[in-house]
Amino acid sequence: MFLFYFLVGYFVVRYVFSVWKYKHSSYYAVTGNPFFTVRFDKGRYGEYCTYLKLRDLEKQGAKFLFNLYIPTSHGTTEIDLLMICTRGIFVFESKNYSGWIFGKESQQKWTQTLPRGRGSHKEYFYNPILQNKGHLQALQNYLDKDVPLWSIIVFSERCTLKNVQVTSPNISVMNRYDLLPTVMSRLECSSSVLSEEDVEHIYSHLYPCSQVSESVKARHIENITLR
């Protein structure tokens, strides 16, 4: 009986701490999404976990925005997560997948291999590097300042990047557990090109794109469905 109450107490404390941590995060401040909505949505929770890996960089002046709807000639494009700092802007595409991942930078489709019984099953998905390339192009067009941009594709810890080939120097593909070391390495090898005032200006310029109406979000989904 003692063990039962101990375990109940442990999980209650853990839950309360998780909610408190979430409510004091930039992710909640920007999105306003309830904890339960995020925790039980695979895509949103993946974005939040990606942010948590980088959260300490806020102490160094980095600023984060989430679910930005950037205007384009055909409507909008949605960026999962971006980080603005004096080195430039890191644009993250979060993929909360499992299984084995195969793909080359130039390929239109990548492969996800999942176990099924004694064999395996393959699923195909749009190359996230090309997906994020569209995000970077839209972002560069929308900004009123020439800013260095990095494309970071982040897969969950639940998958294995079995054979992923990337050659472009401004692109990285990794599991979430390698995210912070990769970003830190990028920061250490880059020089500051933006002032703190520039960072604030870019943040203020992009922030409205993370606060769009439900009708804008609905049109975005409709446009994706029609393509």
Side-chain angles (χ1 to χ4, degrees):
M1 185 62 69
F2 171 77
L3 180 59
F4 170 77
Y5 285 115
F6 174 81
L7 290 175
V8 170
Y10 169 78
F11 285 110
V12 168
V13 170
R14 185 175 178 178
Y15 167 76
V16 171
F17 176 74
S18 296
V19 173
W20 179 89
K21 185 178 182 179
Y22 177 76
K23 287 287 187 70
H24 289 78
S25 71
S26 293
Y27 187 90
Y28 175 71
V30 173
T31 67
N33 293 325
F35 177 77
F36 270 110
T37 300
V38 173
R39 184 63 185 86
F40 295 103
D41 183 295
K42 185 172 68 173
R44 288 177 176 175
Y45 189 63
E47 295 165 3
Y48 176 59
C49 289
T50 296
Y51 158 71
L52 287 181
K53 292 293 183 181
L54 302 168
R55 187 179 187 181
D56 285 346
L57 295 177
E58 290 179 318
K59 299 173 184 177
Q60 301 177 27
K63 300 184 76 67
F64 292 88
L65 285 169
F66 313 88
N67 307 130
L68 296 95
Y69 291 79
I70 306 296
T72 67
S73 58
H74 52 77
T76 56
T77 189
E78 184 185 3
I79 296 176
D80 291 338
L81 162 65
L82 64 77
M83 181 183 81
I84 311 163
C85 64
T86 57
R87 265 68 169 179
I89 300 178
F90 290 76
V91 181
F92 302 92
E93 177 64 27
S94 177
K95 296 297 182 186
N96 207 20
Y97 291 177
S98 58
W100 288 0
I101 306 297
F102 300 82
K104 297 180 181 179
E105 181 179 338
S106 59
Q107 288 178 320
Q108 190 78 6
K109 296 290 185 179
W110 283 18
T111 305
Q112 177 190 27
T113 302
L114 299 163
R116 174 177 287 182
R118 295 184 178 180
S120 62
H121 170 71
K122 292 183 178 180
E123 296 282 350
Y124 299 93
F125 60 100
Y126 184 54
N127 181 343
I129 293 177
L130 297 181
Q131 183 180 2
N132 217 28
K133 181 179 180 180
H135 297 159
L136 268 67
Q137 290 174 340
L139 182 62
Q140 191 71 72
N141 292 337
Y142 184 73
L143 290 171
D144 56 1
K145 188 178 183 66
D146 188 21
V147 181
L149 301 176
W150 283 271
S151 176
I152 310 292
I153 313 301
V154 186
F155 284 88
S156 76
E157 297 89 345
R158 298 180 299 112
C159 75
T160 300
L161 304 181
K162 200 67 176 177
N163 186 13
V164 174
Q165 300 177 25
V166 180
T167 57
S168 297
N170 69 323
I171 298 173
S172 297
V173 181
M174 76 215 66
N175 291 100
R176 194 176 290 125
Y177 50 72
D178 288 326
L179 178 58
L180 183 58
T182 300
V183 172
M184 289 297 296
S185 177
R186 293 274 186 179
L187 293 174
E188 291 168 359
C189 295
S190 306
S191 57
S192 294
V193 294
L194 300 173
S195 66
E196 293 181 3
E197 290 74 18
D198 290 330
V199 172
E200 288 291 341
H201 173 76
I202 293 171
Y203 180 86
S204 298
H205 185 57
L206 292 176
Y207 180 80
C209 296
S210 69
Q211 305 297 311
V212 300
S213 66
E214 292 301 320
S215 62
V216 171
K217 296 178 182 179
R219 284 197 300 272
H220 173 78
I221 294 174
E222 182 179 351
N223 288 338
I224 292 176
T225 304
L226 294 175
R227 289 175 198 169

